[in-house]
Amino acid sequence: MELSFLAKSSLLVAVPGTAQYAGQLARYVGREWEDTRHAYVASKEPYKVDSDSDDGRRLSKLMRRESSLLPGDQATAEYFGLPFVQHQNVEGEWVPSAPIAREVRAAKKGND
Amino acid sequence: MPANVAVTGYASDYRTPSIGIELVFAQGENISGAGTREILVVAPKSSAGTWTAGTVYGPIKAEQDVITGGGVGSPAHRMAQKIMQANKLATIYVLVVAETSGGSPVKATGTLAWGGTATSSFNYTFSVGDEDFSVYIKSGDAAATVGAAIKATVNGRLSLPFTDEGTGATNTLTNKLAGTRGGTATWSPNRIVAPAPGNGLTLTASAAIGIATAGADGSTTEASNVTAALQSVEGRHFYYYVYDDGNNATALAAIKSHLANKALPRYGRRSYLITGHNGTLAAATTIANGLNYERQEIAFQPMGDATPDHLAAQLVATEQLVRDADPANGLINYSGPDWNIRAARTQYWPDEDDINDAIAAGLSCVASKVGGTYLVMSITTRSKDGSGTYADFRAAESHRISVGDACAQDLTNKMAGKLGKGFIAHPKGKDGLPNPNAKIPPNCVTDFTLKPTFTDSISEWAKSGWTQRVSDSQNSLLVVKSPVNAGRLEASLSIYARDNLSQVTVRMAESSAA
């Protein structure tokens, strides 16, 4: 299955199998380098990987051992036996979506 | 001035010829302090300690001195104790940091909540951090009796960083010092491993100290106290600094700033910090990335039971011991007789991918094996380029910093004897080049006569095994009398720290005919 991950708080998880040659930009799961903030901020799109691939197995192991990533969708959360919590990207960091904000958005949608 | 070894009854004015031996017991470790690279333990004392924050004490010769001054079980005591156990040559000083205060500082806690009544007699074993505890539980013991037995066992071990302040059937393991250093929801320096007891008893245990109650700093944080304390050692050189809370990014940044300033050429007090981390690979990577500094190293046991204070103290003790003899030692797969770090639980033993990621992130990984642990290799946090953006391994192997510092110190010692001599322009020959046969007045030197000090040093460093590529180093050497400051000799050169063999790869084909 396809696993989907979001970067969690300030934690840095190296992208599996990435060569760290001199001069190469380091790569972290669900993050991208942003020059203006001089930091690896959370990408807006989840990091996706096949659970049966080498990279998928590596991230599954890290997820089970350290829980250093957030499940990016319901299926991934279920795969790891975790509750799925909707998150929103606020200035380069994923934070739990406020239930009230979700309800307001849902209500707005209903009114449209 | 060497430390005074006091013996009861032998005041300095006592003159009677005699041999007085004072035999004392239950005193902890004693060390000689003969090591040349001095260690400064930067750590808070507990309220029981008599020392004053912002003051340096030492050289420490006896563990009892740190117990009295820093408080038993304080970070200052525990790190000094560990260093003394591992390295009898260590020269140790302690810079006392005040405990966090003001506002509402909180001591981290973890609990063991017992229920039921024992239906048979058995020994129950659990661990907190790298300490094992065993209590005998007798058939018929109620939960409160078990709790009381554990409380007595825990509080009987004075060197622990926590006490049991629980009552009845609940053991409340409480960090001796307030602050996040004791543990939070995301930082577990003291993990609790308490299996289900069975035999009629139930147990609900926190996974670590800091889970039941998260530690919190007061309005005056430990990081600000570290910053303040460091000001008192700006004028004094210590080679190694050791600070235990490897998750305190603010304190580590303050130490980085302090070290960077002291290492400036004008001050020349080149130093090196070692700290400890036993959290997740991702959390340690974040800390290392934030530091990205060649004079800071993190002893890292992923999800380990070894505590950060013991990880940091063990590594500094080992580096001091090994690199006093050989500054270029890379500590590769190191598990010498001084090395004593508890193995992680099997499920947390780092595999080759974990180790490689740790190295690439600038972490000195402590890996586990059957029967113990070993240091994979000594790595600085400087895994990226100066901007902190791109991979750059050139200053990651810590022996390169150690060698650079050793060479710089050697040159400093040699040049110190030259200062004050007359400094004249070297006479030139008809060809316009320095005349090697020119007669130099007594008590005078020239850029030309000083050059051999450098070339000879380069040869000596290579002969000692510190460096390599002697010709390249010597050919890179430029020594001139400054055109803008008449009393200054200016020199530049390249040095090449030796490489250490860390991998062997072989492609071997079994080539029998079919």
Side-chain angles (χ1 to χ4, degrees):
Chain A
M1 67 171 282
E2 185 180 65
L3 299 174
S4 172
F5 296 109
L6 305 176
K8 184 177 180 181
S9 61
S10 61
L11 301 175
L12 297 175
V13 176
V15 171
T18 304
Q20 301 263 354
Y21 297 126
Q24 186 160 328
L25 192 66
R27 295 176 64 193
Y28 299 105
V29 174
R31 293 187 181 276
E32 58 199 24
W33 177 255
E34 192 175 290
D35 269 334
T36 49
R37 275 186 265 188
H38 200 76
Y40 287 95
V41 300
S43 310
K44 293 210 167 100
E45 295 302 316
Y47 181 89
K48 296 192 173 177
V49 64
D50 182 353
S51 61
D52 290 332
S53 67
D54 286 347
D55 292 3
R57 279 191 286 274
R58 168 79 180 144
L59 289 182
S60 294
K61 178 183 172 179
L62 287 174
M63 187 71 183
R64 289 201 171 92
R65 190 180 67 189
E66 301 191 347
S67 192
S68 298
L69 295 164
L70 295 169
D73 58 23
Q74 182 78 42
T76 303
E78 284 172 7
Y79 182 82
F80 291 108
L82 297 170
F84 178 62
V85 179
Q86 194 78 43
H87 282 70
Q88 57 185 358
N89 192 316
V90 178
E91 295 181 358
E93 185 173 345
W94 290 104
V95 296
S97 301
I100 294 171
R102 280 207 306 272
E103 284 163 18
V104 169
R105 277 200 301 272
K108 269 188 173 179
K109 265 190 177 175
N111 292 338
D112 287 342
Chain B
M1 184 175 130
N4 173 244
V5 180
V7 171
T8 303
Y10 274 69
S12 59
D13 63 344
Y14 180 64
R15 308 291 180 190
T16 302
S18 58
I19 297 169
I21 297 176
E22 184 168 22
L23 195 53
V24 289
F25 296 95
Q27 293 291 295
E29 300 287 340
N30 276 250
I31 55 172
S32 69
T36 54
R37 286 183 165 181
E38 296 170 334
I39 298 170
L40 181 68
V41 174
V42 181
K45 72 181 190 73
S46 69
S47 56
T50 58
W51 284 343
T52 304
T55 307
V56 177
Y57 294 89
I60 305 296
K61 298 293 181 188
E63 184 185 337
Q64 187 60 45
D65 294 346
V66 197
I67 291 173
T68 304
V72 67
S74 65
H77 168 222
R78 283 172 56 80
M79 282 198 282
Q81 179 193 48
K82 186 73 175 171
I83 297 166
M84 289 174 159
Q85 287 168 349
N87 181 351
K88 303 298 181 203
L89 298 173
T91 308
I92 304 172
Y93 292 81
V94 178
L95 172 60
V96 183
V97 174
E99 185 180 3
T100 178
S101 61
S104 304
V106 179
K107 291 181 177 178
T109 71
T111 54
L112 305 175
W114 295 88
T117 300
T119 53
S120 58
S121 301
F122 65 106
N123 282 314
Y124 180 71
T125 300
F126 67 102
S127 68
V128 183
D130 44 16
E131 291 277 342
D132 288 325
F133 300 89
S134 208
V135 288
Y136 176 68
I137 296 174
K138 193 169 169 31
S139 179
D141 279 356
T145 306
V146 175
I150 288 177
K151 181 171 182 175
T153 302
V154 168
N155 290 343
R157 283 197 213 171
L158 301 178
S159 295
L160 299 176
F162 54 86
T163 55
D164 186 346
E165 296 182 5
T167 54
T170 301
N171 302 105
T172 306
L173 307 178
T174 307
N175 205 59
K176 283 181 176 170
L177 274 80
T180 55
R181 66 160 35 254
T184 65
T186 56
W187 172 236
S188 302
N190 283 285
R191 299 178 191 281
I192 299 172
V193 183
N199 301 296
L201 290 167
T202 62
L203 173 62
T204 305
S206 304
I209 293 178
I211 297 297
T213 311
D217 279 22
S219 53
T220 303
T221 62
E222 181 169 317
S224 64
N225 288 336
V226 166
T227 306
L230 288 173
Q231 290 176 339
S232 62
V233 291
E234 283 174 353
R236 168 80 154 87
H237 181 239
F238 302 93
Y239 188 76
Y240 286 114
Y241 284 56
V242 56
Y243 174 69
D244 61 324
D245 191 352
N247 199 51
N248 192 332
T250 312
L252 293 172
I255 298 172
K256 174 181 176 179
S257 174
H258 172 82
L259 298 185
N261 189 55
K262 285 182 85 164
L264 290 172
R266 284 176 66 175
Y267 310 122
R269 301 186 188 99
R270 286 165 289 273
S271 308
Y272 191 82
L273 170 89
I274 294 176
T275 189
H277 200 293
N278 66 345
T280 63
L281 177 59
T285 299
T286 303
I287 294 284
N289 233 40
L291 295 172
N292 191 42
Y293 185 45
E294 61 271 17
R295 295 191 178 276
Q296 286 184 309
E297 181 172 358
I298 301 173
F300 171 58
Q301 186 183 50
M303 308 289 281
D305 292 330
T307 52
D309 51 7
H310 282 171
L311 286 165
Q314 174 67 67
L315 184 55
V316 81
T318 295
E319 287 203 16
Q320 199 280 336
L321 185 69
V322 171
R323 289 189 170 154
D324 249 19
D326 177 13
N329 193 311
L331 295 166
I332 293 168
N333 287 346
Y334 184 86
S335 59
D338 61 299
W339 187 263
N340 182 20
I341 288 291
R342 181 193 179 103
R345 278 168 276 164
T346 307
Q347 64 267 37
Y348 299 130
W349 287 19
D351 63 19
E352 284 66 24
D353 289 333
D354 297 324
I355 290 170
N356 198 56
D357 282 355
I359 292 170
L363 297 165
S364 291
C365 189
V366 176
S368 299
K369 61 182 179 181
V370 176
T373 58
Y374 63 99
L375 179 68
V376 174
M377 64 192 297
S378 176
I379 293 287
T380 75
T381 59
R382 176 69 189 275
S383 65
K384 307 290 182 293
D385 68 342
S387 73
T389 313
Y390 301 101
D392 184 351
F393 203 66
R394 289 176 298 172
E397 292 170 293
S398 70
H399 79 281
R400 302 194 189 280
I401 287 74
S402 174
V403 165
D405 288 341
C407 295
Q409 189 58 49
D410 183 47
L411 268 183
T412 302
N413 296 342
K414 286 171 177 165
M415 284 299 159
K418 315 283 187 192
L419 294 180
K421 291 186 181 297
F423 188 32
I424 60 174
H426 194 89
K428 291 183 176 166
K430 288 177 185 172
D431 55 3
L433 298 172
N435 177 5
N437 300 317
K439 290 208 168 173
I440 306 302
N443 283 324
C444 285
V445 293
T446 74
D447 50 352
F448 188 78
T449 62
L450 285 176
K451 193 170 183 180
T453 306
F454 290 88
T455 51
D456 293 349
S457 295
I458 291 167
S459 297
E460 288 167 18
W461 300 336
K463 280 180 191 161
S464 300
W466 300 0
T467 59
Q468 56 186 334
R469 295 170 61 182
V470 174
S471 297
D472 285 339
S473 273
Q474 290 177 337
N475 290 338
S476 76
L477 180 63
L478 174 68
V479 182
V480 295
K481 192 171 191 290
S482 170
V484 293
N485 183 330
R488 182 184 297 166
L489 179 80
E490 295 178 346
S492 69
L493 70 158
S494 290
I495 61 167
Y496 304 90
R498 82 170 188 225
D499 301 312
N500 288 311
L501 182 66
S502 61
Q503 294 181 335
V504 175
T505 61
V506 179
R507 185 173 179 276
M508 188 158 49
E510 200 288 316
S511 304
S512 305

